């Protein structure tokens, strides 16, 4: 007698939380490959990034959303609206919280946002590797005062601790569904967008805190040469001349370092040798201009 076939499952999972709680690190860990930029600076993620995890019996499609915060400009409004709209499209919601931070208005705001959601919500308590185990239970009790969660899973996105259990819980909660993407795909993001995001990540890591949020990166050319090498030309936009000087650095040293670090990561991801040509331009107050936001792929009209 033949074995009964296993029903294939698939579905979309929104990853939501305050800025800097480790959502992108968790996404990279769950997918098993870096597809979202990671930084200690809050509000790094600006777009919803789809991460694809394909298992023998399921395909999980993760939406990494921008951190939910009080917006200070039109770009901030886009980011918050993007996170909110993701909740309307998914089968499961992962509410990621940082256990090293005190429960505050930010967490309460997200709980209120989720209050009327009928979609299963899994509370993911991140960074447990930084906290004694006896401190976790009071945190679980605190969150449980506000709503009932489908599951509560303590994890370390950085080390991968308990993420396999999280995957199992997600997989068990998914409905039956098709395989939406080929097995070898880990994201639906265009190569140019991934390249632009990796360049922006290096700006976050190498420049002063006031610079990164004022930058946008546009990849204007990404061409594979006959020998397999990839030529990439990109423009980094800032809002003020003083920021342009910081990005370029003394004798171009900072811009060169940004390009070198981005090149190494792009070569690792794509498996090809890269030549990265970076330019810096000023576009004043671009974060508050609808035309500039659309140019860089941040359009609130899609999230209304």
């Amino acid at each position: 007698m033949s074995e009964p076939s296993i029903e294939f499952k698939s579905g979309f999972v929104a990853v939501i939380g305050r800025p800097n709680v480790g959502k992108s690190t968790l996404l990279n860990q769950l997918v098993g490959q870096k597809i979202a930029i990671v930084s200690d600076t809050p509000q790094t993620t600006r777009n919803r990034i789809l991460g694809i995890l394909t298992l023998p019996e399921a395909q999980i499609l993760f939406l990494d959303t921008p951190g939910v915060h009080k917006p200070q400009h039109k770009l901030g409004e886009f980011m918050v609206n993007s996170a909110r709209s993701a909740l309307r499209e998914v089968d499961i919601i992962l509410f990621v919280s940082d256990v090293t931070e005190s429960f505050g208005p930010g967490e309460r705001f997200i709980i209120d946002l989720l209050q009327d959601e009928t979609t299963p919500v899994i509370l993911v308590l991140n960074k447990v590797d930084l906290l004694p185990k006896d401190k976790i239970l009071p945190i679980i009790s605190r969150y449980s005062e506000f709503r009932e969660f489908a599951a509560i899973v303590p994890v370390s996105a950085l080390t991968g601790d308990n993420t396999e259990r999280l995957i199992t819980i997600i997989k068990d909660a998914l409905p039956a569904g098709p395989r939406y993407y080929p097995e070898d795909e880990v994201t639906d993001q265009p190569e140019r967008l991934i390249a632009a995001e990796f360049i922006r990540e290096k700006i976050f890591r190498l420049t002063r805190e006031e610079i990164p949020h004022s930058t946008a990166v546009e990849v204007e050319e990404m061409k594979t040469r006959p020998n397999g090498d990839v030529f990439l030309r990109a423009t980094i936009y800032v809002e003020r001349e003083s920021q342009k000087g910081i990005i370029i650095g003394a004798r171009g040293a900072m811009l060169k370092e940004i390009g070198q670090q981005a090149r190494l990561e792009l070569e690792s991801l794509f498996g090809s040798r890269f030549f990265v040509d970076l330019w810096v331009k000023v576009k004043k107050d671009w974060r508050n201009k609808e035309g500039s936001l659309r140019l860089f792929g941040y359009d609130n009209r899609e999230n209304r």
Side-chain angles (χ1 to χ4, degrees):
M1 182 180 295
S2 61
E3 294 290 329
S5 59
I6 299 175
E7 185 177 48
F8 194 84
K9 292 183 169 187
S10 63
F12 291 80
V13 180
V15 185
I16 192 169
R18 287 191 302 104
N20 213 32
V21 296
K23 298 185 300 298
S24 295
T25 303
L26 179 63
L27 175 67
N28 292 334
Q29 183 70 247
L30 294 174
V31 172
Q33 186 173 329
K34 182 173 180 177
I35 60 171
I37 68 174
V38 177
S39 170
D40 291 335
T41 307
Q43 301 170 28
T44 306
T45 302
R46 290 177 177 170
N47 279 295
R48 285 179 296 170
I49 296 175
L50 180 66
I52 306 164
L53 173 61
T54 302
L55 305 168
E57 67 282 9
Q59 189 172 75
I60 308 173
L61 310 170
F62 295 99
L63 290 173
D64 179 26
T65 64
V68 177
H69 62 286
K70 185 176 181 180
Q72 303 295 322
H73 39 64
K74 288 187 180 296
L75 174 60
E77 291 176 7
F78 165 84
M79 292 163 66
V80 173
N81 287 338
S82 180
R84 283 175 164 170
S85 66
L87 303 181
R88 301 193 295 265
E89 307 168 2
V90 299
D91 302 286
I92 299 170
I93 298 169
L94 298 187
F95 172 20
V96 183
S97 180
D98 179 353
V99 296
T100 67
E101 297 288 337
S102 301
F103 186 99
E107 286 77 18
R108 185 58 194 268
F109 176 77
I110 295 174
I111 287 176
D112 290 342
L113 186 68
L114 299 173
Q115 204 61 48
D116 296 327
E117 288 290 336
T118 57
T119 303
V121 178
I122 298 173
L123 175 62
V124 181
L125 299 176
N126 190 26
K127 305 185 184 180
V128 295
D129 54 311
L130 303 178
L131 207 64
K133 290 185 178 180
D134 60 353
K135 301 291 185 181
I136 304 298
L137 191 56
I139 296 173
I140 292 174
S141 299
R142 177 65 168 148
Y143 278 93
S144 299
E145 293 175 7
F146 295 97
R147 70 163 292 147
E148 184 176 346
F149 294 96
I152 299 176
V153 189
V155 305
S156 170
L158 186 63
T159 67
D161 184 40
N162 220 28
T163 53
E164 286 296 328
R165 177 169 172 258
L166 177 59
I167 290 172
T168 298
I169 291 171
I170 294 169
K171 181 182 65 177
D172 290 345
L174 288 176
R179 182 182 283 106
Y180 290 96
Y181 293 90
E183 292 182 16
D184 58 347
E185 286 194 20
V186 293
T187 183
D188 71 335
Q189 298 298 297
E191 291 181 350
R192 287 192 179 204
L193 178 59
I194 293 175
E197 286 291 272
F198 279 8
I199 293 168
R200 195 164 63 88
E201 178 188 58
K202 304 315 169 191
I203 297 170
F204 269 85
R205 291 188 175 181
L206 293 170
T207 62
R208 303 174 189 173
E209 288 188 5
E210 69 269 21
I211 299 300
H213 292 303
S214 302
T215 61
V217 178
E218 181 184 16
V219 174
E220 297 170 336
E221 184 178 358
M222 187 170 174
K223 183 184 297 183
T224 302
R225 294 169 171 169
N227 64 355
D229 294 347
V230 179
F231 173 76
L232 184 149
R233 178 167 53 85
T235 299
I236 300 168
Y237 289 92
V238 294
E239 293 185 317
R240 297 192 300 274
E241 285 291 340
S242 60
Q243 295 169 342
K244 179 178 178 179
I246 293 171
I247 293 287
I248 294 175
R251 298 182 179 179
M254 177 61 74
L255 189 63
K256 183 179 180 180
E257 184 65 18
I258 292 169
Q260 286 180 341
Q261 290 197 18
R263 176 182 60 80
L264 292 173
E265 197 146 283
L266 289 166
E267 289 179 344
S268 175
L269 178 64
F270 291 105
S272 300
R273 189 164 63 163
F274 268 72
F275 293 86
V276 178
D277 184 25
L278 298 181
W279 297 80
V280 186
K281 294 181 180 179
V282 176
K283 189 179 284 288
K284 292 184 178 180
D285 199 31
W286 69 264
R287 287 179 295 176
N288 276 311
K289 295 178 179 177
E290 293 285 355
S292 296
L293 292 176
R294 286 195 294 273
L295 174 66
F296 300 135
Y298 312 126
D299 192 347
N300 266 323
R301 293 175 301 179
E302 298 177 1
N303 298 318
R304 289 173 184 165

